[in-house]
Amino acid sequence: MSLDHMPPEEPEQLVRKGFLSKVKKTAGKVPFVPDAVAMHYCAMDPATPLHARAVAFSALAYFVLPVDLIPDAIPGAGFADDASAVWAAIRSLAPYITDEHRRKAADWLGI
């Protein structure tokens, strides 16, 4: 199911269920993981405006979905579409991703 056909609460549920396990599997394979984890903390923060949380949850849900434009199993290209979705969301959410979100991400990742 694509994100544009999901009810609004489903991207959040998908991210809550699968994001952290997906990060653990891909941490050494994709360079955008620290930004994605910071965006995750931003999305979970009740102080983040609802529209920003929706953008974050949608991009993170795309990263978590097992079926996407370019299958993750394709070496060298599999995460390109995920990186594009995460990068676009991070750019639009820059005012909402705080130093605290980034610190929590670094702590969780152990970096």
Side-chain angles (χ1 to χ4, degrees), residues 13-92:
Q13 291 170 355
L14 183 64
V15 170
R16 287 183 186 273
K17 288 180 186 175
F19 176 73
L20 294 177
S21 65
K22 176 85 177 219
V23 166
K24 286 178 184 176
K25 291 179 201 170
T26 60
K29 299 177 186 175
V30 292
F32 61 84
V33 165
D35 290 323
V37 175
M39 186 167 50
H40 176 263
Y41 280 108
C42 177
M44 297 296 182
D45 186 346
T48 301
L50 185 59
H51 72 279
R53 293 179 76 196
V55 169
F57 279 124
S58 295
L60 294 171
Y62 186 82
F63 175 58
V64 171
L65 282 171
V67 177
D68 52 24
L69 189 59
I70 303 171
D72 295 344
I74 297 175
F79 290 105
D81 58 328
D82 299 316
S84 296
V86 169
W87 178 83
I90 287 170
R91 296 279 298 168
S92 70

